Amino acid sequence: MSAPALQAQVDAAKVYESLFVPALFGQWAPEIGDAARVQPGQRVLDVACGTGVLARAILARTGPSGQVVGLDPNPGMLAVANELAPAVTWRQGAAESMPFPDQSFDAVVSQFGLMFFQDRQQAVREMLRVLTNEGRLVVAVWDALETMPAYATEVALVERLAGLPAAEALRAPFVLGNRDDVLAMFTNAGAASVVITTRHGTARFPSVRVMVEADLRGWLPVMGVVLTEEQIGRVLSEAEVELAQYAGSDRRVAFDVRAHVVAARNRGHGCRVERRAGVRV
């Protein structure tokens, strides 16, 4: 990778960390750690770690006697992650073919990454492969786009003003909203004792402009879509009107978001399946 290309990835990762982590992702890390039942001294793998918000939270649980490894295919994300938490072992690699021996980890976690894997079922197989027989796999994915009207409105606006590729990149995080599809994926990959819990959180942005600009300048480049300044300006201008209902008198934006948290074990721990809903974090 050329130096300019890497720098572009790093710049996008910094936007991701500074805007998306506090607005969206940080609140889910304790939830994932609880579901994985992470304990001091354990070995834990964070798959699709991004800039490391979940790995950092897990590190606080494992302590110095444990080990936390973050895996991600994006060098820019890993560069920012390493700056923030050098005590974590950061590895570049794909979820479908992980560079770790069988049963390497006491827990495997992944927060809002499964949607982007090229072969999701194979990725689940790999996560189970590197998990110990007594370990727990916990994966979070976003609910369907239509359950989050603020984002649905933004996606429709972007499609109208910036085109289908940009809109599809914004839809990508929500493609695993169907719980039955997620359950089938995990069971077909060999998971057992699968528990799917739908939980509610809150997205919080300083303003409509910051919310939308984070997607246009932070998320779309990560997905390989770069808009012109003219396109960005048009979207931001109209977003102020179309998303005004989500902004308070102080201009701050807050709206409900929903995620499915999937907890599973290796086959051999039974085939119990549970589905729960309605928990707020």
Side-chain angles (χ1 to χ4, degrees):
M1 177 179 291
S2 67
L6 177 58
Q7 187 58 52
Q9 285 194 359
V10 170
D11 292 343
K14 288 180 177 179
V15 172
Y16 178 95
E17 173 66 30
S18 64
L19 292 178
F20 288 113
V21 167
L24 281 175
F25 300 124
Q27 64 191 298
W28 301 96
E31 181 76 12
I32 305 306
D34 287 345
R37 300 178 187 172
V38 175
Q39 302 295 321
Q42 286 188 326
R43 300 160 297 165
V44 183
L45 172 65
D46 178 9
V47 181
C49 60
T51 55
V53 59
L54 178 55
R56 297 193 298 269
I58 295 296
L59 182 65
R61 293 172 181 250
T62 62
S65 61
Q67 181 188 25
V68 179
V69 178
L71 180 76
D72 200 277
N74 187 298
M77 291 284 188
L78 293 173
V80 173
N82 188 58
E83 289 180 5
L84 295 171
V88 174
T89 300
W90 305 105
R91 295 285 299 272
Q92 185 176 354
E96 296 88 345
S97 181
M98 292 194 273
F100 309 112
D102 295 355
Q103 300 188 30
S104 299
F105 299 97
D106 303 301
V108 177
V109 296
S110 184
Q111 180 171 288
F112 306 117
L114 181 61
M115 304 84 74
F116 308 109
F117 300 157
Q118 292 186 354
D119 187 334
R120 298 170 189 138
Q121 189 164 297
Q122 173 59 21
V124 175
R125 289 194 194 99
E126 277 288 276
M127 288 188 273
L128 292 168
R129 178 185 67 79
V130 301
L131 187 65
T132 63
N133 288 335
E134 300 302 318
R136 295 178 65 83
L137 168 63
V138 177
V139 177
V141 299
W142 293 116
D143 200 352
L145 179 62
E146 57 266 24
T147 69
M148 291 169 264
Y151 275 128
T153 299
E154 180 190 357
V155 170
L157 174 64
V158 168
E159 182 166 352
R160 177 164 58 85
L161 296 179
L164 183 60
E168 288 300 298
L170 294 181
R171 289 190 180 101
F174 308 102
V175 297
L176 293 182
N178 187 301
R179 291 163 60 121
D180 291 334
D181 291 345
V182 175
L183 174 59
M185 181 193 313
F186 275 73
T187 54
N188 291 338
S193 300
V194 181
V195 178
I196 301 177
T197 307
T198 300
R199 298 188 178 271
H200 294 250
T202 303
R204 302 182 189 277
F205 291 92
S207 66
V208 167
R209 183 181 183 88
V210 170
M211 169 192 165
V212 178
E213 195 163 19
D215 281 331
L216 302 185
R217 298 189 189 277
W219 178 246
L220 290 186
V222 170
M223 297 293 287
V225 179
V226 179
L227 302 183
T228 66
E229 288 301 314
E230 181 181 0
Q231 288 174 313
I232 290 173
R234 287 202 306 268
V235 172
L236 292 176
S237 178
E238 295 208 22
E240 295 277 7
V241 176
E242 296 205 17
L243 293 169
Q245 62 181 303
Y246 301 102
S249 58
D250 60 356
R251 301 183 62 203
R252 293 183 177 275
V253 172
F255 55 90
D256 184 69
V257 290
R258 296 169 33 143
H260 304 316
V261 178
V262 187
R265 306 288 291 272
N266 278 312
R267 193 160 287 165
H269 286 275
C271 297
R272 177 173 55 89
V273 174
E274 298 180 10
R275 301 175 69 177
R276 304 173 185 171
V279 181
R280 179 171 292 277
V281 298

PDB file of all heavy atoms in Angstrom, residues 210-227:
ATOM      1  N   VAL A 210     -22.963  17.179  12.188  1.00  0.00           N
ATOM      2  CA  VAL A 210     -21.886  16.280  12.608  1.00  0.00           C
ATOM      3  C   VAL A 210     -22.270  14.823  12.336  1.00  0.00           C
ATOM      4  O   VAL A 210     -21.456  14.030  11.855  1.00  0.00           O
ATOM      5  CB  VAL A 210     -21.569  16.486  14.096  1.00  0.00           C
ATOM      6  CG1 VAL A 210     -20.625  15.387  14.604  1.00  0.00           C
ATOM      7  CG2 VAL A 210     -20.934  17.843  14.320  1.00  0.00           C
ATOM      8  N   MET A 211     -23.509  14.464  12.621  1.00  0.00           N
ATOM      9  CA  MET A 211     -23.978  13.099  12.383  1.00  0.00           C
ATOM     10  C   MET A 211     -23.802  12.699  10.924  1.00  0.00           C
ATOM     11  O   MET A 211     -23.241  11.648  10.600  1.00  0.00           O
ATOM     12  CB  MET A 211     -25.455  12.991  12.780  1.00  0.00           C
ATOM     13  CG  MET A 211     -26.127  11.714  12.331  1.00  0.00           C
ATOM     14  SD  MET A 211     -27.929  11.814  12.523  1.00  0.00           S
ATOM     15  CE  MET A 211     -28.434  10.402  11.521  1.00  0.00           C
ATOM     16  N   VAL A 212     -24.286  13.553  10.025  1.00  0.00           N
ATOM     17  CA  VAL A 212     -24.268  13.215   8.599  1.00  0.00           C
ATOM     18  C   VAL A 212     -22.862  13.346   8.026  1.00  0.00           C
ATOM     19  O   VAL A 212     -22.417  12.507   7.229  1.00  0.00           O
ATOM     20  CB  VAL A 212     -25.272  14.088   7.831  1.00  0.00           C
ATOM     21  CG1 VAL A 212     -25.225  13.792   6.341  1.00  0.00           C
ATOM     22  CG2 VAL A 212     -26.684  13.856   8.369  1.00  0.00           C
ATOM     23  N   GLU A 213     -22.142  14.364   8.451  1.00  0.00           N
ATOM     24  CA  GLU A 213     -20.782  14.544   7.941  1.00  0.00           C
ATOM     25  C   GLU A 213     -19.881  13.400   8.372  1.00  0.00           C
ATOM     26  O   GLU A 213     -18.962  13.011   7.634  1.00  0.00           O
ATOM     27  CB  GLU A 213     -20.216  15.887   8.397  1.00  0.00           C
ATOM     28  CG  GLU A 213     -18.980  16.309   7.633  1.00  0.00           C
ATOM     29  CD  GLU A 213     -18.663  17.771   7.796  1.00  0.00           C
ATOM     30  OE1 GLU A 213     -19.150  18.406   8.757  1.00  0.00           O
ATOM     31  OE2 GLU A 213     -17.915  18.295   6.946  1.00  0.00           O
ATOM     32  N   ALA A 214     -20.127  12.835   9.550  1.00  0.00           N
ATOM     33  CA  ALA A 214     -19.355  11.673   9.989  1.00  0.00           C
ATOM     34  C   ALA A 214     -19.517  10.524   9.007  1.00  0.00           C
ATOM     35  O   ALA A 214     -18.546   9.818   8.687  1.00  0.00           O
ATOM     36  CB  ALA A 214     -19.802  11.248  11.386  1.00  0.00           C
ATOM     37  N   ASP A 215     -20.739  10.332   8.512  1.00  0.00           N
ATOM     38  CA  ASP A 215     -20.960   9.280   7.519  1.00  0.00           C
ATOM     39  C   ASP A 215     -20.323   9.622   6.179  1.00  0.00           C
ATOM     40  O   ASP A 215     -19.684   8.778   5.542  1.00  0.00           O
ATOM     41  CB  ASP A 215     -22.462   9.056   7.322  1.00  0.00           C
ATOM     42  CG  ASP A 215     -23.079   8.224   8.429  1.00  0.00           C
ATOM     43  OD1 ASP A 215     -22.362   7.384   9.004  1.00  0.00           O
ATOM     44  OD2 ASP A 215     -24.271   8.407   8.716  1.00  0.00           O
ATOM     45  N   LEU A 216     -20.477  10.864   5.753  1.00  0.00           N
ATOM     46  CA  LEU A 216     -20.002  11.249   4.422  1.00  0.00           C
ATOM     47  C   LEU A 216     -18.481  11.286   4.337  1.00  0.00           C
ATOM     48  O   LEU A 216     -17.896  10.898   3.315  1.00  0.00           O
ATOM     49  CB  LEU A 216     -20.572  12.621   4.040  1.00  0.00           C
ATOM     50  CG  LEU A 216     -22.097  12.755   4.037  1.00  0.00           C
ATOM     51  CD1 LEU A 216     -22.494  14.135   3.526  1.00  0.00           C
ATOM     52  CD2 LEU A 216     -22.757  11.669   3.211  1.00  0.00           C
ATOM     53  N   ARG A 217     -17.831  11.775   5.402  1.00  0.00           N
ATOM     54  CA  ARG A 217     -16.373  11.923   5.369  1.00  0.00           C
ATOM     55  C   ARG A 217     -15.631  10.808   6.112  1.00  0.00           C
ATOM     56  O   ARG A 217     -14.447  10.592   5.859  1.00  0.00           O
ATOM     57  CB  ARG A 217     -15.972  13.275   5.969  1.00  0.00           C
ATOM     58  CG  ARG A 217     -16.506  14.479   5.237  1.00  0.00           C
ATOM     59  CD  ARG A 217     -15.880  15.753   5.760  1.00  0.00           C
ATOM     60  NE  ARG A 217     -16.510  16.944   5.231  1.00  0.00           N
ATOM     61  CZ  ARG A 217     -16.211  17.495   4.043  1.00  0.00           C
ATOM     62  NH1 ARG A 217     -15.298  16.918   3.278  1.00  0.00           N
ATOM     63  NH2 ARG A 217     -16.829  18.594   3.645  1.00  0.00           N
ATOM     64  N   GLY A 218     -16.335  10.143   7.032  1.00  0.00           N
ATOM     65  CA  GLY A 218     -15.691   9.100   7.820  1.00  0.00           C
ATOM     66  C   GLY A 218     -16.038   7.708   7.356  1.00  0.00           C
ATOM     67  O   GLY A 218     -15.158   6.896   7.070  1.00  0.00           O
ATOM     68  N   TRP A 219     -17.343   7.418   7.219  1.00  0.00           N
ATOM     69  CA  TRP A 219     -17.756   6.062   6.901  1.00  0.00           C
ATOM     70  C   TRP A 219     -17.642   5.743   5.405  1.00  0.00           C
ATOM     71  O   TRP A 219     -17.099   4.695   5.026  1.00  0.00           O
ATOM     72  CB  TRP A 219     -19.194   5.822   7.356  1.00  0.00           C
ATOM     73  CG  TRP A 219     -19.674   4.453   7.006  1.00  0.00           C
ATOM     74  CD1 TRP A 219     -20.658   4.109   6.140  1.00  0.00           C
ATOM     75  CD2 TRP A 219     -19.147   3.213   7.506  1.00  0.00           C
ATOM     76  NE1 TRP A 219     -20.790   2.744   6.063  1.00  0.00           N
ATOM     77  CE2 TRP A 219     -19.873   2.172   6.891  1.00  0.00           C
ATOM     78  CE3 TRP A 219     -18.125   2.899   8.406  1.00  0.00           C
ATOM     79  CZ2 TRP A 219     -19.610   0.827   7.164  1.00  0.00           C
ATOM     80  CZ3 TRP A 219     -17.877   1.556   8.683  1.00  0.00           C
ATOM     81  CH2 TRP A 219     -18.608   0.541   8.053  1.00  0.00           C
ATOM     82  N   LEU A 220     -18.146   6.620   4.540  1.00  0.00           N
ATOM     83  CA  LEU A 220     -18.128   6.309   3.111  1.00  0.00           C
ATOM     84  C   LEU A 220     -16.719   6.041   2.575  1.00  0.00           C
ATOM     85  O   LEU A 220     -16.530   5.083   1.812  1.00  0.00           O
ATOM     86  CB  LEU A 220     -18.813   7.427   2.312  1.00  0.00           C
ATOM     87  CG  LEU A 220     -20.331   7.546   2.481  1.00  0.00           C
ATOM     88  CD1 LEU A 220     -20.890   8.592   1.512  1.00  0.00           C
ATOM     89  CD2 LEU A 220     -21.035   6.216   2.279  1.00  0.00           C
ATOM     90  N   PRO A 221     -15.692   6.831   2.940  1.00  0.00           N
ATOM     91  CA  PRO A 221     -14.355   6.498   2.456  1.00  0.00           C
ATOM     92  C   PRO A 221     -13.866   5.129   2.932  1.00  0.00           C
ATOM     93  O   PRO A 221     -13.143   4.436   2.199  1.00  0.00           O
ATOM     94  CB  PRO A 221     -13.483   7.629   3.024  1.00  0.00           C
ATOM     95  CG  PRO A 221     -14.416   8.772   3.181  1.00  0.00           C
ATOM     96  CD  PRO A 221     -15.721   8.148   3.609  1.00  0.00           C
ATOM     97  N   VAL A 222     -14.244   4.732   4.151  1.00  0.00           N
ATOM     98  CA  VAL A 222     -13.884   3.384   4.628  1.00  0.00           C
ATOM     99  C   VAL A 222     -14.491   2.327   3.708  1.00  0.00           C
ATOM    100  O   VAL A 222     -13.889   1.272   3.458  1.00  0.00           O
ATOM    101  CB  VAL A 222     -14.359   3.191   6.078  1.00  0.00           C
ATOM    102  CG1 VAL A 222     -14.217   1.733   6.516  1.00  0.00           C
ATOM    103  CG2 VAL A 222     -13.571   4.093   7.020  1.00  0.00           C
ATOM    104  N   MET A 223     -15.677   2.610   3.183  1.00  0.00           N
ATOM    105  CA  MET A 223     -16.378   1.680   2.289  1.00  0.00           C
ATOM    106  C   MET A 223     -16.008   1.879   0.820  1.00  0.00           C
ATOM    107  O   MET A 223     -16.602   1.270  -0.068  1.00  0.00           O
ATOM    108  CB  MET A 223     -17.883   1.843   2.471  1.00  0.00           C
ATOM    109  CG  MET A 223     -18.384   1.487   3.851  1.00  0.00           C
ATOM    110  SD  MET A 223     -18.212  -0.280   4.216  1.00  0.00           S
ATOM    111  CE  MET A 223     -19.510  -0.961   3.181  1.00  0.00           C
ATOM    112  N   GLY A 224     -15.041   2.761   0.562  1.00  0.00           N
ATOM    113  CA  GLY A 224     -14.576   2.956  -0.801  1.00  0.00           C
ATOM    114  C   GLY A 224     -15.391   3.931  -1.621  1.00  0.00           C
ATOM    115  O   GLY A 224     -15.265   3.965  -2.853  1.00  0.00           O
ATOM    116  N   VAL A 225     -16.232   4.749  -0.977  1.00  0.00           N
ATOM    117  CA  VAL A 225     -17.059   5.729  -1.688  1.00  0.00           C
ATOM    118  C   VAL A 225     -16.620   7.132  -1.257  1.00  0.00           C
ATOM    119  O   VAL A 225     -16.697   7.473  -0.077  1.00  0.00           O
ATOM    120  CB  VAL A 225     -18.553   5.541  -1.388  1.00  0.00           C
ATOM    121  CG1 VAL A 225     -19.377   6.601  -2.119  1.00  0.00           C
ATOM    122  CG2 VAL A 225     -19.006   4.139  -1.786  1.00  0.00           C
ATOM    123  N   VAL A 226     -16.175   7.936  -2.213  1.00  0.00           N
ATOM    124  CA  VAL A 226     -15.721   9.293  -1.924  1.00  0.00           C
ATOM    125  C   VAL A 226     -16.591  10.266  -2.701  1.00  0.00           C
ATOM    126  O   VAL A 226     -16.644  10.230  -3.933  1.00  0.00           O
ATOM    127  CB  VAL A 226     -14.235   9.490  -2.300  1.00  0.00           C
ATOM    128  CG1 VAL A 226     -13.806  10.922  -2.020  1.00  0.00           C
ATOM    129  CG2 VAL A 226     -13.351   8.506  -1.533  1.00  0.00           C
ATOM    130  N   LEU A 227     -17.288  11.130  -1.986  1.00  0.00           N
ATOM    131  CA  LEU A 227     -18.160  12.111  -2.623  1.00  0.00           C
ATOM    132  C   LEU A 227     -17.402  13.400  -2.916  1.00  0.00           C
ATOM    133  O   LEU A 227     -16.401  13.709  -2.273  1.00  0.00           O
ATOM    134  CB  LEU A 227     -19.352  12.426  -1.708  1.00  0.00           C
ATOM    135  CG  LEU A 227     -20.234  11.253  -1.299  1.00  0.00           C
ATOM    136  CD1 LEU A 227     -21.400  11.759  -0.454  1.00  0.00           C
ATOM    137  CD2 LEU A 227     -20.737  10.485  -2.505  1.00  0.00           C
TER     138      LEU A 227
END
